[in-house]
Amino acid sequence: MVELQSWVKDIFAHPVTKRPASPELFQGVGGVIDARVFLKNTQGYSVWEEGQVGYEGLMKKDRTSVEGYKAEIGYDQPVYQHYSLQGRILDCGGGAGTVREFLSDDVEFISTDPWLHAPFASSSERKAAYSCLNQPLNFIAATAEFQPFLAESFDWVHMRSMIDHVQVPDLAILEAKRVLKKGGCILIGLSVEGGKSGVVTLKEHAKHWVKAGLSSIGIDRWEDHHVWHPTYKELLKLITDNGFFVEDTYWQPHWNDTVCYICALKPDK
């Protein structure tokens, strides 16, 4: 059972009407509040749904070693040395909230994710590497496009490796903007097509074609479940089109200029 801290209950809202609400009014499923709203008739829904099922199955079978997870932490650590997330933080699509490994103990943190089992799915190996997974987690099941919080509730919205999976990216960014305080920041981490140069090579095109071809004949092991594949330029456009001012881009060292983290500011007026 996930127990929400009082500050979360104070900012809880109906995900559609955005009016103040009590979490207890929503159905509890598997020990979590289920505030999910699905856009089942959008073009991206079927792709998202297939990908979500695949992801959940993969996580349940995950057998990564403690050393592998510690290496993962080492890959991510430079990002959060570059960006200092403070205050009240919403980790959108954050699963078990592993980003807490890089945050100070005095932050107010909540993760939202459409996977109901996310807070409980970590293996013993993962918990041995990530000390934060042994701490209580504020968690609500919710989709990025419909966040169950009052406007201007957070200092930071964190979106790592998820904006290419949401059904409607524009709406997800607008929701982040709505729940951020004036002057608050969004941090989006993503592997982008063409990397830092923005040039998609013939090899990368061929890889997508091969995956699509295999999927068409029933070999779905490598099926692509991303709803879209933005370049760095397209990701910047998504952010600025929805009213943010880009402050900084950090290219994660381990991934050789293919994974970027973009920090953008919500205007204070």
Side-chain angles (χ1 to χ4, degrees):
M1 175 69 71
V2 173
E3 296 291 339
L4 299 175
Q5 293 179 314
S6 59
W7 68 265
V8 177
K9 296 178 182 179
D10 290 343
I11 63 170
F12 191 84
H14 191 285
V16 176
T17 67
K18 316 303 183 189
R19 294 177 180 175
S22 170
E24 286 74 21
L25 296 176
F26 287 76
Q27 182 180 7
V29 179
V32 304
I33 298 298
D34 186 1
R36 296 175 299 175
V37 178
F38 293 115
L39 299 168
K40 296 185 177 181
N41 296 291
T42 60
Q43 185 175 357
Y45 178 75
S46 61
V47 176
W48 174 86
E49 186 178 35
E50 291 172 6
Q52 183 69 11
V53 170
Y55 173 75
E56 292 177 20
L58 180 65
M59 288 297 293
K60 289 175 183 177
K61 296 177 182 177
D62 188 19
R63 293 295 182 270
T64 301
S65 66
V66 175
E67 291 73 23
Y69 283 120
K70 286 184 176 179
E72 181 179 81
I73 292 170
Y75 302 154
D76 292 338
Q77 194 164 30
V79 175
Y80 302 100
Q81 291 172 335
H82 185 80
Y83 297 113
S84 178
L85 279 64
Q86 301 292 334
R88 184 174 287 174
I89 301 164
L90 168 60
D91 193 5
C92 182
T98 54
V99 72
R100 289 177 295 160
E101 196 71 15
F102 312 105
L103 307 180
S104 60
D105 293 336
D106 61 349
V107 301
E108 292 182 330
F109 178 93
I110 184 166
S111 171
T112 60
D113 196 284
W115 187 20
L116 289 163
H117 195 59
F120 317 112
S122 296
S123 65
S124 58
E125 291 84 0
R126 197 183 193 201
K127 289 180 178 179
Y130 284 92
S131 61
C132 66
L133 295 178
N134 300 294
Q135 302 299 320
L137 171 69
N138 289 308
F139 179 87
I140 295 173
T143 56
E145 296 90 342
F146 295 92
Q147 291 293 307
F149 304 109
L150 297 175
E152 300 185 9
S153 291
F154 294 93
D155 299 292
W156 285 85
V157 173
H158 178 260
M159 294 179 164
R160 181 171 67 183
S161 299
M162 54 76 66
I163 196 66
D164 52 347
H165 290 280
V166 303
Q167 299 164 57
V168 186
D170 283 290
L171 184 51
I173 300 299
L174 286 172
E175 269 294 84
K177 184 181 177 185
R178 182 184 67 81
V179 302
L180 275 171
K181 299 174 184 178
K182 293 176 182 178
C185 292
I186 187 171
L187 182 62
I188 298 178
L190 195 66
S191 173
V192 291
E193 291 287 288
K196 194 172 186 178
S197 70
V199 177
V200 183
T201 65
L202 182 59
K203 180 180 179 180
E204 289 171 314
H205 279 303
K207 185 164 60 176
H208 290 312
W209 296 333
V210 169
K211 286 181 179 179
L214 290 172
S215 178
S216 69
I217 60 174
I219 303 174
D220 58 4
R221 180 179 176 183
W222 296 281
E223 187 173 358
D224 185 4
H225 292 115
H226 294 86
V227 176
W228 70 317
H229 291 273
T231 62
Y232 173 57
K233 184 178 179 180
E234 289 168 340
L235 185 56
L236 287 175
K237 185 176 186 297
L238 171 73
I239 296 167
T240 56
D241 276 355
N242 289 295
F244 282 94
F245 294 113
V246 172
E247 287 205 318
D248 179 68
T249 299
Y250 180 78
W251 293 89
Q252 192 172 358
H254 177 75
W255 301 110
N256 300 317
D257 288 342
T258 61
V259 176
C260 66
Y261 281 75
I262 301 173
C263 180
L265 184 73
K266 175 180 175 176
D268 56 10
K269 293 182 179 180

